[in-house]
Amino acid sequence: MLKLNRKYLATFVALTVVGWGCTPDDYPTTPRFDPPPQEDVLPDGELFFYEPPAGVSVTSVSVPGEFNGWNPTAAEAQMTQLSDGRWVAGIELAEGTYQYKYHFNGTTWAGNMCNEATWGDPDNGGQVDADLDSCEGENAVRTIGTPQPTGHTFLYIVPEGVGVEVVTAAGTFQPEGAQWNNTSDTLSNIWTYTVDMEPGTYQYKYQFNETNGWAGNMCDEATWGHPDYGNAVDPDNDNCDGENAVITITDAGPHTFRYIVPAGVGDITQITVAGEFQDPQWTPGVDFFMETFTRTYALDAGTYEYKFIFDGNWAGNMCAEGTYADGGMADANGSGTCNGENAVLTID
């Protein structure tokens, strides 16, 4: 009889088959793998799966990570093979965020867990673990449970007509010795567009500027894809059908398409999304309407001063910034006060 822990029961009852689709903020509440064959018994704990690509020889797989001292020989890290060829391990983990890597055949570490040429899934952007949350460098990251965002989020919303590629926050909130370092704390550049959608499965693609054209492969795009998500263009898509991204909407309502700009990508003046959800379909005339830069820090109680740096140019007055904020506050999520030209943030 198939043994399921409660976390995965609803998914296996529904026999939901879900592909790539990880977000940087929320670990999925349902796993992204097919249910195992009826004759197999799943282990207890948080489940880690590996499916070898065609032609790859695998005799053993283990899951070293922060939860076991990065020990590839730890007993609880060893995967067992299911009758359909996949490998699985169950590891008891408390709520939290963990880095890990897969170790193959007793000798070989995976390279980049988000984009690995040998061990990764070629249909999934080279991703080694279909359930990873994201990557930190070359290590996979998985968040257990549903932790709420903590800390203070610095937020810069680009006003209409202002061109900004890189926004950095610097100030006394940075560690001693690195304070006012204007190169280390870059805010993420995220474009979003929200649209009401009916339940169903839809294909779609992003189009960049008027001259750059459509993204190539939405799941593995060398120019526009983000390396932290296996070069996926949209970190929230389920999978791809050919070169088009696929999203499945289960409940009618608003869905937010996102694009996180990777480091080094050239000027982006416009992004549009087009797909089967439109009427008429595949009409690339809907602009992403907001460009934001955000970064969250866990800060101790205290009072901090800081400034934003725009493409290398320090803000003038953070409370009345004329060039980058139309004469208003540069930080849309700040305390609203300044000491001289520096913004002041108080954490209780």
Side-chain angles (χ1 to χ4, degrees):
M1 181 175 179
L2 183 62
K3 179 182 179 184
L4 302 173
N5 60 29
R6 288 187 297 174
K7 175 178 178 182
Y8 297 101
L9 182 58
T11 298
F12 288 134
V13 170
L15 298 183
T16 301
V17 180
V18 188
W20 162 271
C22 56
T23 74
D25 301 319
D26 301 303
Y27 182 71
T29 56
T30 56
R32 296 180 289 270
F33 48 76
D34 296 346
Q38 291 291 323
E39 62 269 22
D40 290 325
V41 176
L42 287 175
D44 292 326
E46 182 70 19
L47 296 178
F48 293 81
F49 277 78
Y50 176 68
E51 183 170 0
V56 173
S57 176
V58 176
T59 57
S60 67
V61 190
S62 64
V63 191
E66 293 179 322
F67 38 74
N68 57 23
W70 295 98
N71 181 3
T73 64
E76 71 276 9
Q78 306 309 306
M79 285 187 167
T80 57
Q81 194 167 23
L82 298 172
S83 58
D84 63 4
R86 290 178 298 165
W87 297 76
V88 63
I91 301 177
E92 297 291 346
L93 295 174
E95 285 196 0
T97 299
Y98 303 90
Q99 294 187 35
Y100 63 98
K101 252 191 181 182
Y102 285 175
H103 191 262
F104 298 95
N105 302 340
T107 59
T108 306
W109 292 85
N112 186 335
M113 286 287 289
C114 278
N115 190 2
E116 163 64 50
T118 301
W119 307 104
D121 182 356
D123 295 327
N124 199 19
Q127 192 171 327
V128 180
D129 176 8
D131 274 332
L132 59 83
D133 187 15
S134 61
C135 277
E136 183 71 30
E138 295 186 338
N139 297 332
V141 175
R142 188 182 290 196
T143 299
I144 310 304
T146 55
Q148 298 299 312
T150 59
H152 176 78
T153 298
F154 295 95
L155 170 64
Y156 174 66
I157 301 174
V158 184
E160 185 176 353
V162 174
V164 175
E165 293 182 32
V166 179
V167 179
T168 306
T172 59
F173 66 90
Q174 295 171 301
E176 197 70 36
Q179 292 185 356
W180 299 103
N181 183 332
N182 67 340
T183 61
S184 62
D185 293 293
T186 302
L187 280 66
S188 298
N189 187 351
I190 305 175
W191 294 59
T192 66
Y193 173 71
T194 302
V195 60
D196 284 330
M197 298 178 69
E198 294 297 322
T201 298
Y202 304 92
Q203 295 187 33
Y204 64 96
K205 250 191 181 185
Y206 290 173
Q207 187 182 50
F208 296 87
N209 305 337
E210 293 184 358
T211 57
N212 294 115
W214 298 89
N217 186 333
M218 285 286 290
C219 281
D220 189 8
E221 163 65 50
T223 301
W224 305 106
H226 202 294
D228 287 349
Y229 304 99
N231 284 338
V233 180
D234 177 6
D236 305 315
N237 68 297
D238 289 333
N239 49 51
C240 278
D241 188 343
E243 295 186 339
N244 296 332
V246 175
I247 189 75
T248 298
I249 305 298
T250 55
D251 297 313
H255 173 75
T256 299
F257 294 93
R258 296 191 304 160
Y259 177 68
I260 303 175
V261 183
V265 168
D267 291 345
I268 297 177
T269 58
Q270 179 190 64
I271 307 176
T272 60
V273 57
E276 295 177 326
F277 61 89
Q278 295 173 301
D279 185 16
Q281 294 184 352
W282 296 102
T283 306
V286 182
D287 293 349
F288 279 33
F289 72 94
M290 183 172 68
E291 183 180 3
T292 66
F293 295 78
T294 67
R295 183 158 179 166
T296 300
Y297 299 85
L299 299 177
D300 294 331
T303 299
Y304 305 90
E305 295 188 19
Y306 64 97
K307 261 193 176 184
F308 287 169
I309 304 98
F310 304 95
D311 294 337
N313 301 309
W314 291 82
N317 187 331
M318 284 288 289
C319 284
E321 170 53 51
T323 302
Y324 296 102
D326 291 336
M329 284 291 302
D331 181 1
N333 197 36
S335 297
T337 59
C338 280
N339 181 19
E341 296 184 340
N342 297 333
V344 176
L345 172 68
T346 300
I347 304 295
D348 296 327

